[in-house]
Amino acid sequence: GAVVSQHPSRVICKSGTSVKIECRSLDFQATTMFWYRQFPKQSLMLMATSNEGSKATYEQGVEKDKFLINHASLTLSTLTVTSAHPEDSSFYICSARESRTVYGYTFGSGTRLTVV
Amino acid sequence: DAKTTQPPSMDCAEGRAANLPCNHSTISGNEYVYWYRQIHSQGPQYIIHGLKNNETNEMASLIITEDRKSSTLILPHATLRDTAVYYCIVRIYNQGGKLIFGQGTELSVKP
C-alpha cells in the first residue's frame, strides 16, 4: 500500500529558532498533502492543505507566516515552524491524498515538536 | 467544523464485538464516511469508509443507516491491540476533499 514517511519523528528546539518537518510519499505521487497538529488529549486539527506547485490553503486561525508550507514536488511537502515558542510544542502529522488505495488518504507517523 | 459526533469513551471486553456509533446528521449526498483510528503518539490508521451501502473488510464492518444520518463501526472480535481512539469523519466534498476530525471515541478493550 501507499506509504508516507515523516521526518523527524521527534525534535527539540530552542525558543526563537525554526524547525522544518518533511513529509514524503515513498511510492506514489501526492498532488495534495494535508498538515495537522494535535495537542495532548485532543483531536487532530487541520492546519493547511498544500497542492504541488501552488500556495498552501490555510485553515482559519492558522498563521501562514509562522507555519510555512512548501510542496515543491509531487513527493515532498515541508512544514517549517518559524520563530518557535513553547506554545508551538505539539504533535504534527501530515497526510497525503493518493489514488493507489481505495481510501485515498495515508498519514505519516507524526513529529513530536518540543520547544524549550 | 467536524460534521460528526461520537461518544467520548467506550469499554469492550476482549473477544466481544465493539460497536462504535457516530452521528452525522448534516451529511450531504455525495460525502463519504471514513473511520480511522489512532494509537497513542502514532499517525491515524485507515479502517473503512463508505457512502451509503454497508461495507466490510478484514478489519471491520460499517453500517450506515438508510437516511445516512448515522453509522456504526463494528469490530467483530475486539483484542487488546484494538485499544485506540476511533475517529468517524465525513469527507468534505467541496473543500478539496479534506478530512476534518471530530473528537473521536476512546475505546478501551479489557481482558
Side-chain angles (χ1 to χ4, degrees), chain A residues 30-106:
Chain A
T31 54
T32 304
M33 288 188 175
F34 306 90
W35 287 94
Y36 296 82
R37 67 188 297 183
Q38 184 177 32
F39 292 109
K41 300 289 186 181
Q42 295 188 21
S43 182
L44 284 75
M45 185 195 81
L46 181 65
M47 300 174 67
T49 301
S50 82
N51 292 295
E52 185 265 339
S54 62
K55 290 184 178 180
T57 302
Y58 291 80
E59 295 296 307
Q60 191 172 10
V62 177
E63 299 175 61
K64 59 183 179 183
D65 293 333
K66 181 168 187 61
F67 299 101
L68 300 180
I69 292 172
N70 184 281
H71 193 162
S73 79
L74 287 171
T75 59
L76 175 64
S77 177
T78 60
L79 168 68
T80 301
V81 183
T82 62
S83 187
H85 288 98
E87 57 265 32
D88 298 323
S89 298
S90 188
F91 192 53
Y92 292 87
I93 307 169
C94 69
S95 172
R97 187 173 179 184
E98 39 79 18
S99 59
R100 289 188 55 174
T101 62
V102 294
Y103 48 90
Y105 298 85
T106 300

